[in-house]
Amino acid sequence: MIKKKIKKQSVKISVIMGVYNPSRKEQFLLSVESIIHQTFREWEMILYDDGSDACYIPLIRQAAALDKRIILVRGEENRGLAYALNQCLKRARGKYIARMDDDDISKPERLERMYDFLESHPEYQWAGSNSELIDDTGVWGIDRMQEIPGKEDFLLYSPYIHPTVVFRKNILDRLHGYKVAADTRRCEDYELFMRLCEKGYKGYNLQENLLQYREDQDSYKKRKYCYRIREAKVRYEGFKRLGILKLNTVPYVVKPLVAGLVSPEIVKYVKKTVRKNIYAEEQGRSQAG
């Protein structure tokens, strides 16, 4: 009897997602479904359960069962996002690596637009995009990023929205992925982008809203001060490597420490006002067109 070989579906993009105790079921499932409904079909998703409590395991398994292209990997203890993403990278088969968080929503054309761009622009090693900001009421604002960020664009904040980004996998392999360390926890994306830039690699932001980034009331809860200290250290080390650590840039190093002394309500008001204005501007242009 001759056994017929079944050709495996080619994988061009590996979507990597770390998940830990997903308490908002609908948000989590919507996030996974937004990848399933992509116009680009040659993808796989590596879903890494970062040691979630037993009560969340059925939900994570339910999400993984939504599509045969989803590969579920479980870690027995919580090791943090950087570790989780590196575990995903070890198993990824795609030429490209797409980030995805467990509460955001990818627009249907996101992967297709990113793939086409990177295929036709070999000078860039990764690409991100702008994003719509959402909460339980829907879209309330826009995050608009610098199209071609330079070193100085790292001073204020990371010039890339991490869950919008698609990387060339070989570049992440060369840098051994995300840095797993206590000092970079919750700043792993900022550290990675500065490390990439230090090595001479270039990124780009498509001027399209290809992701809906969830930023609701919980996002503005006061961060623990230890996280702010970590960010200040990441900024100091990153700015030094990039050659932008100077007397006049020191205020940007201590920015998270100073922000920690400000009321979260004030921070929320300032950020929401800026982003709402951008959203209103885009809506106005759309209606005029």
Side-chain angles (χ1 to χ4, degrees):
M1 181 178 177
I2 299 174
K3 291 184 178 180
K4 186 178 180 181
K5 290 184 178 180
I6 299 174
K7 186 179 178 181
K8 287 185 177 180
Q9 181 184 12
S10 65
V11 173
K12 293 179 178 175
I13 299 179
S14 295
V15 182
I16 62 174
M17 178 190 289
V19 59
Y20 175 68
N21 289 354
S23 58
R24 303 288 292 271
K25 176 181 178 180
E26 294 304 319
Q27 291 181 8
F28 176 42
L29 293 178
L30 278 174
S31 179
V32 174
E33 288 169 354
S34 74
I35 296 298
I36 294 172
H37 298 143
Q38 289 292 299
T39 57
F40 188 91
R41 307 303 297 167
E42 294 170 286
W43 58 264
E44 67 176 357
M45 173 182 276
I46 315 294
L47 179 58
Y48 186 84
D49 175 4
D50 190 23
S52 296
D53 296 338
C55 60
Y56 295 100
I57 293 176
L59 172 58
I60 297 172
R61 287 177 176 169
Q62 177 186 345
L66 291 173
D67 194 285
K68 63 183 180 181
R69 291 167 290 181
I70 301 175
I71 301 163
L72 175 60
V73 182
R74 173 164 170 82
E76 292 307 315
E77 61 178 301
N78 180 236
R79 304 282 295 272
L81 183 60
Y83 180 87
L85 297 180
N86 282 348
Q87 295 306 303
C88 293
L89 288 174
K90 288 179 182 179
R91 296 164 172 83
R93 295 180 293 145
K95 178 181 178 181
Y96 298 105
I97 300 294
R99 273 288 290 116
M100 189 66 192
D101 282 340
D102 65 5
D103 59 352
D104 299 328
I105 299 172
S106 286
K107 295 288 189 72
E109 68 278 11
R110 178 195 166 202
L111 295 185
E112 182 175 7
R113 292 286 295 118
M114 292 293 188
Y115 179 83
D116 289 345
F117 176 83
L118 289 169
E119 284 286 287
S120 59
H121 292 83
E123 67 272 27
Y124 295 108
Q125 284 71 51
W126 71 94
S129 75
N130 297 336
S131 72
E132 294 175 349
L133 299 163
I134 60 171
D135 57 20
D136 289 341
T137 66
V139 179
W140 61 264
I142 297 289
D143 243 354
R144 187 183 294 162
M145 311 307 288
Q146 182 75 18
E147 188 172 3
I148 307 176
K151 293 180 180 180
E152 290 73 19
D153 291 305
F154 284 94
L155 291 171
L156 194 57
Y157 45 68
S158 174
Y160 303 96
I161 303 170
H162 193 203
T164 71
V165 171
V166 175
F167 300 93
R168 298 185 191 276
K169 185 177 187 295
N170 63 339
I171 298 301
L172 293 182
D173 289 342
R174 286 180 200 172
L175 270 66
H176 306 292
Y178 293 83
K179 184 178 179 181
V180 181
D183 284 349
T184 58
R185 197 161 185 172
R186 298 203 173 205
C187 302
E188 50 277 313
D189 57 324
Y190 200 7
E191 189 279 335
L192 174 63
F193 288 127
M194 286 193 283
R195 189 155 35 102
L196 285 163
C197 190
E198 175 205 353
K199 299 297 183 183
Y201 299 127
K202 296 196 307 181
Y204 185 91
N205 283 312
L206 277 70
Q207 297 301 290
E208 305 173 46
N209 304 321
L210 297 177
L211 184 93
Q212 292 188 323
Y213 185 87
R214 190 168 298 278
E215 194 161 292
D216 52 25
Q217 186 67 36
D218 289 343
S219 304
Y220 292 97
K221 287 181 178 178
K222 197 169 183 68
R223 292 168 60 195
K224 292 181 180 179
Y225 211 74
C226 64
Y227 299 150
R228 296 185 177 279
I229 293 173
R230 291 173 189 172
E231 184 182 342
K233 289 180 178 178
V234 167
R235 285 171 172 266
Y236 176 80
E237 293 296 334
F239 295 174
K240 185 167 65 173
R241 290 196 305 266
L242 290 175
I244 58 175
L245 182 63
K246 301 173 183 177
L247 187 61
N248 66 334
T249 62
V250 170
Y252 293 101
V253 174
V254 299
K255 173 180 172 286
L257 305 180
V258 175
L261 304 176
V262 179
S263 164
E265 289 302 317
I266 295 176
V267 174
K268 173 185 174 181
Y269 175 78
V270 172
K271 284 188 173 182
K272 286 205 119 179
T273 299
V274 171
R275 288 149 157 183
K276 280 183 175 179
N277 288 342
I278 295 174
Y279 180 56
E281 178 187 322
E282 289 204 2
Q283 289 293 99
R285 282 205 306 265
S286 176
Q287 292 171 5

